[in-house]
Coordinates of all heavy atoms in Angstrom, one line a residue:
F10 N 106.7 102.8 148.2 CA 106.3 103.0 149.6 C 106.8 104.3 150.0 O 106.0 105.0 150.8 CB 107.1 101.9 150.3 CG 106.7 100.5 150.1 CD1 107.5 99.4 150.1 CD2 105.4 100.3 149.7 CE1 107.1 98.2 149.9 CE2 104.9 98.9 149.4 CZ 105.8 97.9 149.6
A13 N 104.4 107.0 148.8 CA 103.1 106.9 149.4 C 103.1 107.5 150.7 O 102.2 108.3 151.1 CB 102.7 105.4 149.6
I14 N 104.2 107.4 151.5 CA 104.4 108.0 152.8 C 104.5 109.6 152.6 O 103.8 110.3 153.3 CB 105.7 107.6 153.4 CG1 105.5 106.1 153.9 CG2 106.0 108.4 154.7 CD1 106.8 105.3 154.3
N28 N 98.2 112.5 164.7 CA 99.0 111.4 164.3 C 98.3 110.1 164.1 O 98.7 109.3 163.1 CB 100.0 111.2 165.5 CG 101.0 112.4 165.6 OD1 101.3 113.1 164.6 ND2 101.4 112.6 166.8
S29 N 97.2 109.9 164.7 CA 96.4 108.6 164.5 C 95.9 108.6 163.1 O 95.7 107.5 162.6 CB 95.4 108.5 165.7 OG 94.4 109.6 165.6
L30 N 95.4 109.8 162.7 CA 94.8 109.8 161.3 C 95.9 109.6 160.3 O 95.6 108.8 159.3 CB 94.2 111.1 161.0 CG 93.4 111.3 159.8 CD1 92.3 110.2 159.6 CD2 92.8 112.6 159.6
V31 N 97.0 110.1 160.5 CA 98.1 109.8 159.4 C 98.4 108.3 159.4 O 98.6 107.7 158.4 CB 99.4 110.7 159.7 CG1 100.5 110.3 158.8 CG2 99.0 112.2 159.6
K32 N 98.5 107.8 160.7 CA 98.8 106.3 160.8 C 97.7 105.5 160.0 O 98.0 104.6 159.3 CB 98.9 105.9 162.2 CG 99.1 104.5 162.5 CD 99.1 104.2 164.0 CE 99.4 102.7 164.4 NZ 98.3 101.9 163.9
S33 N 96.5 105.8 160.3 CA 95.4 105.0 159.7 C 95.3 105.2 158.3 O 95.0 104.3 157.4 CB 94.0 105.3 160.3 OG 93.7 106.8 160.0
T34 N 95.7 106.4 157.7 CA 95.7 106.7 156.3 C 96.7 105.9 155.6 O 96.5 105.3 154.5 CB 96.0 108.2 156.0 OG1 94.8 109.0 156.6 CG2 96.0 108.6 154.6
I35 N 98.0 105.8 156.1 CA 99.0 105.1 155.5 C 98.6 103.6 155.4 O 98.8 102.9 154.5 CB 100.3 105.3 156.2 CG1 100.8 106.8 156.1 CG2 101.4 104.3 155.8 CD1 102.0 107.0 157.0
E36 N 98.0 103.2 156.5 CA 97.6 101.7 156.6 C 96.6 101.4 155.7 O 96.6 100.4 154.9 CB 97.3 101.4 158.0 CG 98.5 101.3 159.0 CD 98.0 101.0 160.4 OE1 96.8 101.2 160.7 OE2 98.9 100.6 161.2
K37 N 95.6 102.3 155.6 CA 94.4 102.0 154.7 C 94.8 102.1 153.2 O 94.6 101.1 152.4 CB 93.3 103.1 154.9 CG 92.1 102.9 154.0 CD 91.0 104.0 154.3 CE 89.7 103.7 153.6 NZ 90.1 103.8 152.1
F38 N 95.4 103.3 152.8 CA 95.7 103.4 151.4 C 97.0 102.5 150.9 O 97.0 102.1 149.8 CB 95.9 104.8 151.0 CG 94.8 105.6 151.1 CD1 94.4 106.5 152.1 CD2 93.8 105.5 150.0 CE1 93.2 107.2 152.1 CE2 92.6 106.3 150.1 CZ 92.4 107.2 151.1
G39 N 97.9 102.3 151.9 CA 99.0 101.4 151.6 C 98.5 100.0 151.3 O 99.0 99.3 150.4
S40 N 97.6 99.5 152.1 CA 97.0 98.1 151.9 C 96.3 98.1 150.7 O 96.3 97.0 150.0 CB 96.1 97.8 153.1 OG 96.9 97.8 154.4
E41 N 95.4 99.1 150.4 CA 94.7 99.1 149.1 C 95.6 99.1 147.9 O 95.4 98.4 146.9 CB 93.8 100.3 149.0 CG 92.7 100.2 150.0 CD 91.7 101.4 149.9 OE1 91.9 102.4 149.2 OE2 90.7 101.4 150.8
M42 N 96.7 99.9 148.0 CA 97.5 100.0 146.8 C 98.3 98.7 146.5 O 98.5 98.2 145.4 CB 98.6 101.1 147.0 CG 98.0 102.5 146.9 SD 99.3 103.8 147.5 CE 100.4 103.6 146.2
T43 N 98.8 98.1 147.6 CA 99.7 96.9 147.4 C 99.0 95.6 147.5 O 99.5 94.6 147.1 CB 100.8 96.9 148.5 OG1 100.1 96.7 149.8 CG2 101.5 98.2 148.6
Q44 N 97.6 95.7 147.9 CA 96.9 94.4 148.1 C 97.6 93.5 149.0 O 97.6 92.2 148.9 CB 96.5 93.7 146.9 CG 95.5 94.5 145.9 CD 94.2 94.6 146.5 OE1 93.5 93.7 146.8 NE2 93.9 95.9 146.8
S45 N 98.3 94.1 150.1 CA 98.8 93.4 151.1 C 98.7 94.2 152.4 O 98.2 95.4 152.4 CB 100.3 93.1 150.9 OG 101.0 94.4 150.7
E46 N 98.9 93.6 153.6 CA 98.8 94.2 154.9 C 99.9 95.2 155.2 O 101.0 94.9 155.3 CB 98.7 93.3 155.9 CG 98.3 93.9 157.3 CD 98.1 92.8 158.4 OE1 99.0 92.0 158.5 OE2 97.2 93.0 159.2
V47 N 99.5 96.5 155.3 CA 100.5 97.6 155.6 C 100.2 98.1 157.0 O 99.1 98.4 157.4 CB 100.4 98.7 154.6 CG1 101.4 99.9 155.1 CG2 100.8 98.3 153.1
R48 N 101.2 98.1 157.9 CA 101.0 98.5 159.3 C 102.2 99.5 159.6 O 103.2 99.4 159.2 CB 101.1 97.3 160.2 CG 99.8 96.4 160.0 CD 98.6 97.1 160.6 NE 97.4 96.3 160.5 CZ 96.5 96.5 159.5 NH1 96.7 97.4 158.5 NH2 95.5 95.7 159.5
V49 N 101.7 100.5 160.4 CA 102.7 101.4 161.1 C 102.5 101.3 162.6 O 101.3 101.5 163.1 CB 102.4 102.9 160.5 CG1 103.4 103.8 161.2 CG2 102.5 102.9 159.1
A50 N 103.5 101.1 163.3 CA 103.4 101.0 164.7 C 103.1 102.4 165.4 O 102.3 102.6 166.2 CB 104.7 100.4 165.4
H51 N 103.9 103.4 164.9 CA 103.8 104.7 165.6 C 104.0 105.9 164.6 O 105.0 105.7 163.8 CB 104.7 104.8 166.8 CG 104.6 106.0 167.6 ND1 103.5 106.4 168.4 CD2 105.5 107.2 167.7 CE1 103.7 107.6 168.9 NE2 104.9 108.0 168.6
V52 N 103.4 107.0 164.8 CA 103.5 108.2 163.9 C 103.7 109.3 164.9 O 102.9 109.5 165.8 CB 102.4 108.4 162.9 CG1 102.6 109.7 162.2 CG2 102.4 107.3 161.9
S62 N 108.3 111.5 162.2 CA 108.9 110.2 162.2 C 107.8 109.2 162.2 O 106.7 109.4 162.7 CB 109.8 110.0 163.3 OG 109.1 110.0 164.6
L63 N 108.3 108.0 161.6 CA 107.4 106.8 161.6 C 108.2 105.7 162.1 O 109.4 105.6 161.7 CB 106.9 106.5 160.1 CG 105.9 107.5 159.5 CD1 106.8 108.6 158.6 CD2 104.9 106.8 158.5
S64 N 107.6 104.9 162.9 CA 108.4 103.6 163.3 C 107.5 102.4 163.1 O 106.3 102.4 163.0 CB 108.7 103.7 164.8 OG 107.5 103.9 165.6
G65 N 108.2 101.3 162.9 CA 107.5 100.1 162.7 C 106.6 99.9 161.4 O 105.6 99.3 161.5
L66 N 107.2 100.4 160.3 CA 106.5 100.3 159.0 C 106.7 98.9 158.5 O 107.8 98.4 158.4 CB 106.9 101.4 158.0 CG 106.4 101.2 156.6 CD1 104.9 101.4 156.5 CD2 107.2 102.1 155.6
S67 N 105.6 98.2 158.2 CA 105.8 96.9 157.5 C 104.7 96.7 156.5 O 103.6 97.2 156.5 CB 105.5 95.7 158.6 OG 104.2 95.8 159.0
V68 N 105.2 96.0 155.4 CA 104.4 95.7 154.3 C 104.4 94.2 154.1 O 105.5 93.6 153.8 CB 104.9 96.5 153.0 CG1 104.0 96.1 151.8 CG2 104.9 98.0 153.2
G69 N 103.2 93.6 154.2 CA 103.1 92.1 154.0 C 103.2 91.7 152.5 O 103.5 92.5 151.6
N70 N 102.9 90.5 152.2 CA 102.9 90.0 150.8 C 101.6 89.7 150.4 O 100.6 89.4 151.2 CB 103.7 88.7 150.8 CG 105.2 88.9 150.8 OD1 105.8 89.7 150.0 ND2 105.9 88.1 151.6
P77 N 106.8 86.2 155.8 CA 106.1 87.1 156.6 C 105.9 88.5 156.1 O 104.9 89.1 156.3 CB 106.9 87.2 158.0 CG 107.7 85.9 157.9 CD 108.0 85.6 156.4
H78 N 106.8 89.0 155.4 CA 106.8 90.3 154.9 C 107.6 90.6 153.6 O 108.5 89.8 153.4 CB 107.3 91.4 155.9 CG 108.6 91.3 156.3 ND1 109.1 90.5 157.3 CD2 109.7 91.9 155.8 CE1 110.4 90.6 157.4 NE2 110.8 91.5 156.5
A79 N 107.4 91.7 152.9 CA 108.2 92.0 151.8 C 109.0 93.1 152.2 O 110.2 93.2 151.8 CB 107.3 92.6 150.6
F80 N 108.6 94.0 153.1 CA 109.5 95.2 153.4 C 109.1 95.7 154.8 O 108.0 95.7 155.2 CB 109.1 96.3 152.4 CG 109.7 97.7 152.7 CD1 111.0 97.9 152.1 CD2 109.2 98.5 153.6 CE1 111.6 99.1 152.3 CE2 109.9 99.8 153.8 CZ 111.0 100.1 153.3
K81 N 110.1 95.9 155.6 CA 110.0 96.4 157.0 C 111.0 97.6 157.1 O 112.1 97.4 156.8 CB 110.2 95.3 158.0 CG 109.1 94.3 158.1 CD 109.4 93.3 159.1 CE 109.4 93.8 160.6 NZ 109.5 92.6 161.5
A82 N 110.7 98.6 157.9 CA 111.6 99.7 158.2 C 111.4 100.0 159.7 O 110.2 100.4 160.1 CB 111.4 100.8 157.3
N83 N 112.3 99.9 160.5 CA 112.1 100.2 162.0 C 111.9 101.7 162.2 O 111.2 102.1 163.1 CB 113.3 99.7 162.7 CG 113.5 98.2 162.7 OD1 112.4 97.5 162.7 ND2 114.6 97.7 162.8
H84 N 112.5 102.6 161.4 CA 112.4 104.0 161.7 C 112.6 104.8 160.4 O 113.5 104.6 159.7 CB 113.6 104.4 162.7 CG 113.5 105.8 163.2 ND1 112.6 106.2 163.9 CD2 114.3 106.9 162.9 CE1 112.7 107.5 164.2 NE2 113.8 107.9 163.6
I85 N 111.7 105.8 160.2 CA 111.9 106.7 159.2 C 111.7 108.1 159.7 O 110.7 108.4 160.4 CB 110.7 106.4 158.1 CG1 110.9 105.0 157.5 CG2 110.8 107.4 157.0 CD1 109.7 104.6 156.6
D110 N 114.4 96.1 156.0 CA 114.4 94.7 155.9 C 113.6 94.2 154.6 O 112.5 94.3 154.7 CB 114.1 94.0 157.1 CG 114.2 92.4 157.1 OD1 114.7 91.9 156.1 OD2 113.8 91.8 158.1
I125 N 103.3 93.0 143.8 CA 103.0 94.2 144.5 C 103.0 95.3 143.6 O 102.1 96.2 143.6 CB 103.9 94.5 145.8 CG1 103.6 93.4 146.9 CG2 103.7 95.9 146.3 CD1 104.5 93.5 148.1

Side-chain angles (χ1 to χ4, degrees):
F10 293 150
I14 293 169
N28 293 330
S29 60
L30 182 56
V31 175
K32 177 179 183 295
S33 63
T34 299
I35 293 174
E36 292 179 339
K37 179 180 185 297
F38 288 103
S40 298
E41 290 179 359
M42 289 173 64
T43 63
Q44 290 298 297
S45 61
E46 186 177 45
V47 175
R48 289 289 178 262
V49 181
H51 183 70
V52 174
S62 66
L63 297 87
S64 59
L66 172 67
S67 66
V68 180
N70 279 312
H78 66 271
F80 178 92
K81 290 178 68 176
N83 294 328
H84 185 69
I85 299 172
D110 183 1
I125 293 174

